[in-house]
Amino acid sequence: MDFQSILSAATGEHGLAVNPWAAIAYLIAGVFFILALRGLSSPATAQSGNRFGMMGMTIAVVTTLLTHAPVTVDGALDAIGLIEILVAIGIGAVIGIVMARRIAMTAMPQLVAAFHSLVGMAAVAVAAAAYLNPQAFGIADAAGQIYTVSRIEMGLGIAIGAITFSGSVIAFLKLNGNMSGAAIMLPGRHIINLGTLAAIIGLVAYFTVDQSPWVFWTVTGLSFLIGFLLIIPIGGADMPVVVSMLNSYSGWAAAAMGFTLGNTAMIITGALVGSSGAILSYIMCRAMNRSFISVIAGGFGADASAVSSGSKEQRPWKPGSADDAAFLMSQADTVIIVPGYGMAVAQAQHALREMGDLLKKEGVTVKYAIHPVAGRMPGHMNVLLAEANVPYDEVFELEDINGEFAQADVAFVIGANDVTNPSAKTDKTSPIYGMPVLDVEKAKTVLFVKRSMGGVGYAGVDNDVFYMDQTMMLLGDAKKMTDDIVKALNGSGH
């Protein structure tokens, strides 16, 4: 029996695995992926979740290589083709390992957006390859006519993949600072977006009866375009939702291409990623009092007049020092620490944990308050605090701790502007209006660590907490300021 016969015994039409061992292997991989998602739901189990994900992906890749190994025209194993695949996997693995080791946690959100763009482009490339050579993929008859169901899968895959790619590129540029984080409102954007989406849906439907090149490539071009148009109007306050939403898109693109390739592992993985990303996006929208439909429609409900220019009026504020902060916190009964993106930029999480440990030694109750969208992606602050070995039982989500600020002696805010801004509750012209925020202004004393008074948050709005009577501004690099507070706590001057 030649290798082609062995391969045929393991695969069915369209390359779909029917060999019971392959089916079991994909099922096991799917179980590992589910366990990975469950593990990643908590910082305490995130490491085991990652390991489950790695094990599942290893099983899926090895099974796919065994059941879809390249063969020559005479049915023998194509050693050169197999080597090329293994080399490509090796190159990708090296790039991934190097990036994972070198990337700063502050750049993790844009790295995630970049990865989403690669998944989207991979879906586009697979769909294009299948369209140009459908018989090699087993999705066409002898005359080259693509099966109707395959046209639907291909049309959806390339549309979702292209949207994911271009939308992720814009998200990367905004997160990386190459493009303004403010919402960019194009004139007539609603009509343009709805018209473009309607055209894509109509052409995908028409593609089922006419596989002409102009239909396929027009769907591709319009999908790339709408990806840009959907993300450009979304402002910085909603970017964590965008990252989660693009994660969902990448999953659905992978699932659609799984059907085209006849690979059940891709279908399972894509469906898990797509559904979990959609659920997370919905939960985050509820936490931010945002309309899920408005966000995924490209800021459909946003008002151009609500976009802040970032201008600030000159108002009196109270400066403070590390010694002042150390004295106030050491005399407190309860200190609630609110980390934000400024802490991430300065890599101050380790110094912050040391500060918290010193305060606990003096009998101070220390808690950490995490806003659902603190930082630039979901769970950003949780990961940073876990990296610094902050005890999980000291970290609380917004809804669990917001009522405690009124009883807290000190709220120590380190680089969190938008998520502590009370204008979200009162100013209808604010781009963050309606978003639940941490009520730090209710604490007896607010210590606010900020690089300077000249900057504003990612959403581009000033924070009234800076100018309140109980607020002391600690200006400077977040890590240096925290280190100085630690030194003061270790000394005898407080």
Side-chain angles (χ1 to χ4, degrees):
M1 179 180 289
D2 60 16
F3 189 80
Q4 179 63 59
S5 300
I6 298 173
L7 183 62
S8 298
T11 60
E13 186 182 6
H14 304 166
L16 184 63
V18 295
N19 181 299
W21 295 110
I24 291 173
Y26 282 141
L27 177 62
I28 293 173
V31 171
F32 276 124
F33 292 142
I34 294 172
L35 292 174
L37 287 175
R38 180 177 178 84
L40 293 172
S41 64
S42 168
T45 57
Q47 285 188 338
S48 62
N50 272 320
R51 293 191 188 100
F52 282 130
M54 293 165 63
M55 294 165 62
M57 186 56 66
T58 300
I59 294 172
V61 170
V62 171
T63 303
T64 300
L65 285 175
L66 291 176
T67 58
H68 295 74
V71 295
T72 60
V73 291
D74 58 359
L77 175 65
D78 183 359
I80 295 178
L82 182 60
I83 291 173
E84 290 175 343
I85 293 173
L86 294 176
V87 169
I89 292 175
I91 293 173
V94 170
I95 293 174
I97 291 171
V98 171
M99 292 180 67
R101 288 185 174 277
R102 293 185 178 180
I103 195 72
M105 278 306 302
T106 50
M108 193 60 68
Q110 46 264 54
L111 177 66
V112 171
F115 283 164
H116 292 162
S117 72
L118 294 178
V119 175
M121 183 53 72
V124 172
V126 170
Y131 175 75
L132 295 173
N133 194 7
Q135 291 169 321
F137 285 77
I139 60 173
D141 57 24
Q145 289 297 309
I146 303 174
Y147 302 128
T148 301
V149 65
S150 295
R151 295 189 199 184
I152 296 173
E153 297 161 1
M154 189 183 302
L156 291 175
I158 200 162
I160 300 173
I163 291 172
T164 303
F165 172 78
S166 54
S168 297
V169 169
I170 295 299
F172 173 86
L173 294 175
K174 282 178 173 266
L175 291 166
N176 204 46
N178 304 108
M179 179 182 290
S180 172
I184 301 174
M185 302 299 180
L186 302 176
R189 65 190 182 282
H190 300 328
I191 296 175
I192 295 173
N193 289 354
L194 290 174
T196 306
L197 286 172
I200 292 172
I201 294 172
L203 286 171
V204 169
Y206 182 67
F207 185 58
T208 61
V209 297
D210 183 358
Q211 66 178 57
S212 299
W214 76 266
V215 181
F216 181 84
W217 297 115
T218 301
V219 170
T220 305
L222 289 176
S223 299
F224 278 125
L225 176 63
I226 195 62
F228 289 117
L229 296 176
L230 286 174
I231 306 303
I232 283 177
I234 299 178
D238 291 328
M239 285 309 294
V241 181
V242 172
V243 173
S244 175
M245 180 181 68
L246 290 170
N247 178 57
S248 178
Y249 288 176
S250 68
W252 298 124
M257 287 301 95
F259 282 105
T260 299
L261 295 174
N263 188 291
T264 53
M266 283 185 66
I267 297 171
I268 294 172
T269 307
L272 287 172
V273 173
S275 57
S276 60
I279 293 170
L280 177 59
S281 299
Y282 177 72
I283 292 173
M284 293 180 66
C285 282
R286 290 192 61 184
M288 297 170 62
N289 196 28
R290 291 287 195 264
S291 165
F292 181 67
I293 300 299
S294 296
V295 174
I296 66 173
F300 191 88
D303 182 1
S305 64
V307 179
S308 172
S309 63
S311 59
K312 293 158 40 61
E313 59 177 303
Q314 296 298 318
R315 297 159 65 183
W317 51 276
K318 186 190 303 180
S321 66
D323 288 332
D324 297 329
F327 175 79
L328 289 169
M329 287 192 287
S330 65
Q331 300 302 310
D333 290 327
T334 303
V335 173
I336 300 179
I337 299 172
V338 181
Y341 188 67
M343 182 198 76
V345 172
Q347 289 288 287
Q349 62 268 27
H350 295 281
L352 190 67
R353 191 263 305 159
E354 186 179 357
M355 183 190 82
D357 289 345
L358 290 173
L359 290 173
K360 286 186 289 183
K361 287 181 180 179
E362 298 194 22
V364 181
T365 300
V366 177
K367 296 182 179 181
Y368 297 80
I370 306 295
H371 192 280
V373 295
R376 299 284 175 87
M377 66 180 293
H380 199 177
M381 295 301 107
N382 301 78
V383 172
L384 288 171
L385 294 180
E387 179 189 10
N389 295 317
V390 171
Y392 302 127
D393 59 358
E394 295 179 5
V395 181
F396 298 88
E397 301 296 330
L398 177 145
E399 61 272 13
D400 298 322
I401 200 170
N402 223 17
E404 298 186 27
F405 281 102
Q407 289 77 44
D409 295 296
V410 176
F412 184 83
V413 185
I414 177 166
N417 185 17
D418 297 331
V419 298
T420 62
N421 196 333
S423 69
K425 297 179 284 188
T426 58
D427 185 2
K428 293 185 178 181
T429 66
S430 172
I432 61 173
Y433 176 71
M435 182 179 79
V437 293
L438 292 162
D439 296 331
V440 298
E441 75 278 5
K442 294 181 179 179
K444 296 176 184 177
T445 300
V446 179
L447 300 175
F448 212 114
V449 181
K450 195 171 184 292
R451 184 172 291 275
S452 71
M453 293 299 294
V456 292
Y458 193 55
V461 290
D462 202 10
N463 192 337
D464 288 339
V465 173
F466 301 159
Y467 314 104
M468 293 181 174
D469 292 338
Q470 74 270 34
T471 301
M472 182 177 293
M473 299 300 299
L474 308 174
L475 302 184
D477 178 79
K479 185 177 186 305
K480 184 179 185 307
M481 179 60 69
T482 309
D483 283 335
D484 289 343
I485 293 174
V486 168
K487 292 177 183 177
L489 288 172
N490 277 322
S492 58
H494 62 275

